[in-house]
């Protein structure tokens, strides 16, 4: 069990990215009520990313592949259902949410921007 927990901790960045992306997607409903995406749909997208993304024996490379693939795959699939004028807002929300989670954008900077 300790071995499983240790392996799980190594991959923690991947589900954290999935969580960030899910909440950005869920918030799209505030832009237009038509944008309603279920957790089931998002989970299906996320799991598909894990299955079809490039594999690597090197853990750091695998994590980088997963983070990049999941972000791009979710962006492309959700954008197919967005109006053109909302795609830029969606990409901005993804970028700033990832940067806020990583500490690149501080809460003070975000509050100032808003």
């Amino acid at each position: 069990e300790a071995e499983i927990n240790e392996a799980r901790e190594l991959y923690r960045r991947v589900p954290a990215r999935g969580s960030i992306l899910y909440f950005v997607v869920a918030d799209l409903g505030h832009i237009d009520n038509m944008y309603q995406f279920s957790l089931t749909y998002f989970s299906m997208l996320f799991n598909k990313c894990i299955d079809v993304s490039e594999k690597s024996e090197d853990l750091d490379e695998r994590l980088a592949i997963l983070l990049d693939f999941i972000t791009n795959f979710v962006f492309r699939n959700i954008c197919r259902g967005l109006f053109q004028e909302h795609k830029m807002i969606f990409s901005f929300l993804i970028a700033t949410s990832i940067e806020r989670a990583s500490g690149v954008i501080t809460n003070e900077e975000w509050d100032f921007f808003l």
Side-chain angles (χ1 to χ4, degrees), residues 14 17 21 45-55 61-77:
V14 175
R17 175 66 58 89
L21 294 172
L45 286 179
F46 188 82
N47 290 331
K48 183 172 182 160
C49 289
I50 293 171
D51 293 339
V52 302
S53 65
E54 181 183 337
K55 310 297 188 255
E61 185 178 342
R62 176 68 175 148
L63 292 175
I65 290 168
L66 283 171
L67 291 173
D68 186 54
F69 191 84
I70 289 167
T71 304
N72 286 319
F73 190 79
V74 168
F75 176 77
R76 282 183 282 131
N77 276 278

Side-chain angles (χ1 to χ4, degrees), residues 14-67:
V14 175
R17 175 66 58 89
S19 174
I20 291 166
L21 294 172
Y22 173 73
F23 286 108
V24 170
V25 169
D27 284 345
L28 288 174
H30 297 297
I31 295 172
D32 191 312
N33 289 333
M34 185 179 75
Y35 302 143
Q36 300 294 323
F37 299 94
S38 70
L39 178 58
T40 304
Y41 174 71
F42 187 85
S43 295
M44 187 244 352
L45 286 179
F46 188 82
N47 290 331
K48 183 172 182 160
C49 289
I50 293 171
D51 293 339
V52 302
S53 65
E54 181 183 337
K55 310 297 188 255
S56 175
E57 293 296 321
D58 180 53
L59 180 63
D60 289 332
E61 185 178 342
R62 176 68 175 148
L63 292 175
I65 290 168
L66 283 171
L67 291 173

